Amino acid sequence: LGSLARDSCSAAVGSRTAGGGCCASNPERVLSTVEELSRKRNREKEEVDGCKAGRMSASLDPDQPPLSDIVNPLLTDMYQITMCYGYFTAGRHETPAVFDMFFRKNPFEGEFTIFAGLSQVLAFIESYKFEADQIAFLRSKMPNVDEPFWEWLAGVNCKDITIHAFKEGSVVFPREPLIRIEGPIGVCQLLETTLLCIVNYASLVATNAKRIRVAAGENKTLLEMGLRRAQGPDGALSASRYAHIGGFNSTSNLLAGKMFNIAVSGTHAHAFVQSFSSFSDLKTPMLRLPEGADRSSANLAGIRLEERDDGKGGKQWYVDFVQLVQKFRKEMRYDRTNNGELAAFIAYCQAFPTSFLALVDTYNTLESGVPNFLCCAVALAAISCTPLGIRLDSGDLSALSKAARRMFHETQALFPWAPFAKLKIVASNDLSEDVLYELKEQEHEIDTFGIGTHLVTCQAQPALGCVYK
């Protein structure tokens, strides 16, 4: 997990580390007094920004705010406020205390957990302050509380809180403190619920993501695509962020990509394919030739070429891409494929000629989808554009991936100049850790996995169970 942690994690927290190596028996801790955080931030921000190690680059930005405005002191349980008032009336609210956050059992019946959520914890603690409207709300719910308590609560901050924690992204184990909070017992108590809310789900998703990474293999690409299945908008953003910490390469979630600097990816769905029924649905048969394309190539013999104004005072060549695709379709004898699907693929090539990846299972994967992709892919290669590959979203993914790979090789033999050795196969469709192990046993030919529901909802175990004692 070396790629999951920064050497400068302590800088992101705001202090230097104490202790030895990062392991269960001698964990490298992060020590921070909150009142020192702002003072050290400017000095250490350059170090943090300059360290972009692996998949942690977005997750430990010291300037990263909480995920949303709802992460505030009122995001807590009522009994934290009532206990705090009890401490106050007993004169014990300033008594020094130590609280440990830990869990009792690894999730998913596994042997490890990935600790995540620390940067959000620190952002929350550093900005901790009750606003006037929040105090007013609490007054309305606790009308018999003495005025001095509200005055005290309005002035509460975390300047006297000290935090000890593992590095975010560390491998951790049951019954050892993930975070230790030291300070006045009243303030420590107020932090409990919010810190548990942040760390429990973050660590669960990061662990789930890492287990999926192990099942898929380090040489595979993993795409998180659980936005539409997640538990609400905040759950979706958290899932994207912490799946990234756990080892996923990219997300389909554009807002998460913007907020956390995570790579985003995506192509098209079945609806795009179904929206075309014939070649007449195409706005134009033409596709702009890329710079450097050889117009005298034998592959373009007999194909219509046009030179047009580029709108900038220059000229740009276009090729009749429908005619070119039909030429290769005839040569490969794929004349029985679905015309609407082929028209959709042509339209997508026209939009993305250098990043064409087609969803091939709308009608019949091997009889239509893959052949139609190959017709377009060969035509793109003929004009010096490199297609990316296909996506499978249904059926026997292992068998289909192997059959598709054979078809790639057969096409490569027919057209040796086509760069088909590097074509990618992407698979989705309710994938889980167990399914990935089954696919591995079947010796699949899949390069990339798109995983949503089982990742973001953690169906195998919906809660980690961290406690704060």
Side-chain angles (χ1 to χ4, degrees):
L1 293 175
S3 63
L4 299 182
R6 285 183 176 180
D7 291 337
S8 62
C9 179
S10 58
V13 175
S15 182
R16 298 299 176 187
T17 55
C22 184
C23 64
S25 61
N26 190 16
E28 184 171 2
R29 302 285 180 180
V30 174
L31 306 179
S32 174
T33 301
V34 173
E35 67 179 351
E36 297 177 352
L37 196 55
S38 295
R39 186 168 66 251
K40 292 187 177 183
R41 173 163 294 183
N42 290 336
R43 184 174 73 246
E44 297 183 332
K45 185 177 187 299
E46 182 177 352
E47 178 185 350
V48 175
D49 289 344
C51 185
K52 301 294 184 181
R55 305 182 181 104
M56 287 294 288
S57 60
S59 60
L60 292 177
D61 185 348
D63 287 332
Q64 184 64 59
L67 285 177
S68 72
D69 292 338
I70 66 172
V71 183
N72 64 65
L74 214 57
L75 185 66
T76 190
D77 292 313
M78 180 67 174
Y79 86 150
Q80 306 293 8
I81 306 298
T82 57
M83 272 195 293
C84 195
Y85 182 58
Y87 291 137
F88 186 85
T89 58
R92 296 183 58 79
H93 58 292
E94 299 291 347
T95 301
V98 178
F99 284 83
D100 286 345
M101 180 189 295
F102 61 93
F103 59 92
R104 296 186 174 97
K105 187 176 181 180
N106 284 312
F108 313 113
E109 299 182 354
E111 299 299 330
F112 69 90
T113 299
I114 303 298
F115 171 53
L118 178 61
S119 55
Q120 288 293 294
V121 166
L122 294 165
F124 168 69
I125 288 178
E126 187 188 9
S127 62
Y128 192 91
K129 178 176 172 54
F130 281 92
E131 302 296 337
D133 63 318
Q134 295 171 338
I135 296 291
F137 172 78
L138 292 172
R139 283 176 180 273
S140 71
K141 302 303 176 184
M142 302 171 65
N144 298 320
V145 168
D146 295 335
E147 182 62 26
F149 174 72
W150 299 125
E151 295 174 357
W152 173 81
L153 192 64
V156 164
N157 57 46
C158 294
K159 66 181 179 64
D160 296 322
I161 295 294
T162 300
I163 304 167
H164 305 251
F166 278 102
K167 285 183 178 182
E168 189 157 19
S170 295
V171 179
V172 292
F173 300 96
R175 299 186 180 276
E176 60 180 359
L178 310 179
I179 300 176
R180 175 168 291 168
I181 302 294
E182 298 179 0
I185 192 170
V187 181
C188 291
Q189 192 71 67
L190 289 171
L191 299 175
E192 175 184 4
T193 300
T194 317
L195 267 56
L196 287 171
C197 178
I198 292 171
V199 172
N200 262 314
Y201 183 65
S203 298
L204 187 70
V205 170
T207 304
N208 198 21
K210 185 58 187 179
R211 292 177 63 89
I212 290 171
R213 163 57 67 192
V214 172
E218 291 297 325
N219 63 329
K220 302 300 180 183
T221 300
L222 294 179
L223 164 64
E224 178 272 315
M225 47 190 298
L227 175 58
R228 64 186 61 192
R229 303 282 190 260
Q231 289 93 336
D234 290 285
L237 286 172
S238 293
S240 297
R241 178 177 191 166
Y242 296 114
H244 191 59
I245 288 179
F248 272 61
N249 302 92
S250 62
T251 178
S252 66
N253 186 337
L254 287 173
L255 182 57
K258 179 179 181 295
M259 291 177 65
F260 310 128
N261 192 29
I262 301 172
V264 295
S265 56
T267 54
H268 67 83
H270 297 105
F272 183 83
V273 177
Q274 291 174 305
S275 70
F276 291 83
S277 58
S278 68
F279 297 120
S280 63
D281 291 327
L282 294 168
K283 180 180 179 180
T284 174
M286 309 305 286
L287 185 150
R288 186 174 61 183
L289 285 174
E291 293 294 332
D294 183 7
R295 300 193 305 275
S296 63
S297 169
N299 293 318
L300 300 182
I303 303 299
R304 179 166 63 109
L305 298 172
E306 288 184 3
E307 188 178 28
R308 301 178 180 178
D309 292 333
D310 63 4
K312 301 177 182 179
K315 299 291 185 179
Q316 179 66 55
W317 283 93
Y318 286 77
V319 62
D320 188 328
F321 194 67
V322 172
Q323 185 185 9
L324 186 61
V325 169
Q326 292 280 42
K327 169 189 173 182
F328 290 116
R329 185 189 197 189
K330 183 177 180 180
E331 289 183 19
M332 290 187 282
R333 299 181 180 179
Y334 286 147
D335 55 337
R336 294 181 179 275
T337 62
N338 186 285
N339 285 337
E341 181 181 55
L342 183 55
F345 289 177
I346 290 173
Y348 206 75
C349 288
Q350 291 171 327
F352 302 99
T354 61
S355 56
F356 175 54
L357 193 147
L359 177 62
V360 295
D361 67 341
T362 302
Y363 301 111
N364 186 307
T365 300
L366 299 181
E367 296 298 322
S368 181
V370 176
N372 278 337
F373 163 77
L374 289 171
C375 293
C376 291
V378 174
L380 286 174
I383 58 172
S384 303
C385 292
T386 303
L388 296 184
I390 63 171
R391 178 162 74 95
L392 304 169
D393 193 49
S394 61
D396 186 333
L397 297 178
S398 177
L400 290 173
S401 71
K402 288 186 278 191
R405 187 71 70 187
R406 284 195 299 270
M407 294 171 74
F408 293 171
H409 292 320
E410 291 168 359
T411 306
Q412 175 82 72
L414 287 174
F415 307 99
W417 42 266
F420 284 5
K422 295 182 179 180
L423 285 177
K424 302 297 183 182
I425 298 176
V426 181
S428 48
N429 186 32
D430 208 29
L431 298 177
S432 66
E433 179 185 347
D434 290 340
V435 171
L436 292 179
Y437 279 116
E438 291 174 3
L439 289 171
K440 187 180 291 186
E441 291 177 357
Q442 296 165 8
E443 298 182 338
H444 67 84
E445 287 287 340
I446 300 165
D447 304 287
T448 298
F449 295 99
I451 302 177
T453 305
H454 286 276
L455 171 64
V456 303
T457 65
C458 298
Q459 287 189 356
Q461 181 173 327
L464 176 58
C466 281
V467 294
Y468 185 88
K469 302 293 184 183

